[in-house]
Amino acid sequence: MVRVHTKPIMGKGYQTKNVRPYFIFSISLFIMSTNSRIGLRLADDSILSVYHHWDGYPEWLGVTLNQQYNTREKVAELIDGGDMSSCYSDNEYDYEKQEFIKRDPRPEYYTDRGEKLEDVAPKISKDLKEYIDHANNCCGEFAYIFEPNNEWVCYAVEYWNPVTKTHNDTFEIVKKEIPSDYPSNLAA
C-alpha cells in the first residue's frame, strides 16, 4: 500500500488514502483538467459566474479571456451559455470519423452535449468570498472576475504550503498575474 493525497472535494480539504500501487499507475493514465470559474462583477458587487473545465491556468485561460472576451458584452454572452468545457475551442469530435476536426473557435458549453441549461446555468455569488467558495466547491484552482473597469482579475485557490511543502486543510486566495500573451510552448 502507498499513501497518496487527493484533491480537496467540496471544501473538505485534502484527503489522504491508502491505495495499491497498481491503482496509482491507472490514475496516471487519466487526463487531468485545471478547473476554474469565470465571473462577471455586477453593479451591486455580486458576481455572476460559470464553471470552466479545461486549462484554467492564467497562461491559457487568463490570456484567452483577455484576448477574446474583453468587453462586458462579450463576457456576459459567454457566461449566458452556462457551464462549459472550454471557452475557446477550435476542435470538435467527429463520432463518425472517430477523430477531432478543426472548426472556427467557440465555447464548448455543456448544453452542446445535451445537458439542460437549468442544470448548468450561471450562479450568482453575493460577494468575493461566496464566489471563491463556488470555485472551491467545483475543485476550481483559479477564479477569474471581469471587473467594472473592464479588466480581468485572477485568483488562485491554493492548498499547497510552500514553506512546509504539505497540503493545507484550508485554502488561501492568492491574486495571480495574467500574462499578456501565451507562452511560446502553448498554442492558442
Side-chain angles (χ1 to χ4, degrees):
M1 297 297 262
V2 176
R3 294 189 61 75
V4 297
H5 293 288
T6 62
K7 186 156 176 37
I9 297 176
M10 303 303 274
K12 294 181 182 170
Y14 277 87
Q15 308 294 310
T16 303
K17 297 181 179 181
N18 288 322
V19 297
R20 298 191 188 289
Y22 66 84
F23 179 71
I24 293 171
F25 175 74
S26 67
I27 288 174
S28 68
L29 297 178
F30 290 105
I31 297 172
M32 301 302 289
S33 61
T34 305
N35 307 338
S36 59
R37 287 201 78 78
I38 300 172
L40 175 65
R41 183 155 336 245
L42 304 177
D44 65 356
D45 213 32
S46 63
I47 301 165
L48 182 67
S49 71
V50 292
Y51 171 76
H52 184 277
H53 188 73
W54 295 110
D55 301 320
Y57 44 89
E59 295 81 4
W60 189 86
L61 182 56
V63 173
T64 301
L65 293 172
N66 268 333
Q67 291 183 1
Q68 304 300 325
Y69 303 99
N70 48 21
T71 67
R72 293 189 72 73
E73 293 76 22
K74 289 179 181 178
V75 175
E77 183 179 344
L78 175 67
I79 289 173
D80 281 347
D83 294 347
M84 65 191 77
S85 294
S86 178
C87 70
Y88 198 74
S89 176
D90 64 355
N91 287 311
E92 185 170 19
Y93 194 73
D94 184 325
Y95 290 96
E96 196 171 296
K97 294 180 181 178
Q98 294 292 299
E99 65 185 16
F100 283 97
I101 57 172
K102 292 289 186 189
R103 55 127 201 257
D104 289 336
R106 68 173 182 83
E108 285 286 329
Y109 293 110
Y110 286 178
T111 53
D112 294 340
R113 64 184 191 193
E115 295 191 36
K116 295 178 182 171
L117 183 58
E118 59 264 18
D119 295 334
V120 295
K123 292 184 178 2
I124 191 82
S125 306
K126 66 182 176 195
D127 55 24
L128 180 62
K129 182 189 178 316
E130 188 173 274
Y131 175 63
I132 297 298
D133 286 343
H134 279 140
N136 182 51
N137 288 343
C138 69
C139 297
E141 295 179 48
F142 296 96
Y144 296 85
I145 302 173
F146 193 75
E147 296 288 2
N149 66 355
N150 294 327
E151 290 186 12
W152 284 103
V153 177
C154 175
Y155 297 95
V157 181
E158 294 186 349
Y159 282 85
W160 178 252
N161 184 327
V163 175
T164 63
K165 300 196 182 327
T166 60
H167 292 103
N168 298 323
D169 287 334
T170 59
F171 60 85
E172 185 177 328
I173 305 308
V174 179
K175 194 170 182 180
K176 292 289 186 180
E177 183 79 22
I178 298 173
S180 59
D181 206 354
Y182 301 102
S184 58
N185 63 336
L186 288 180

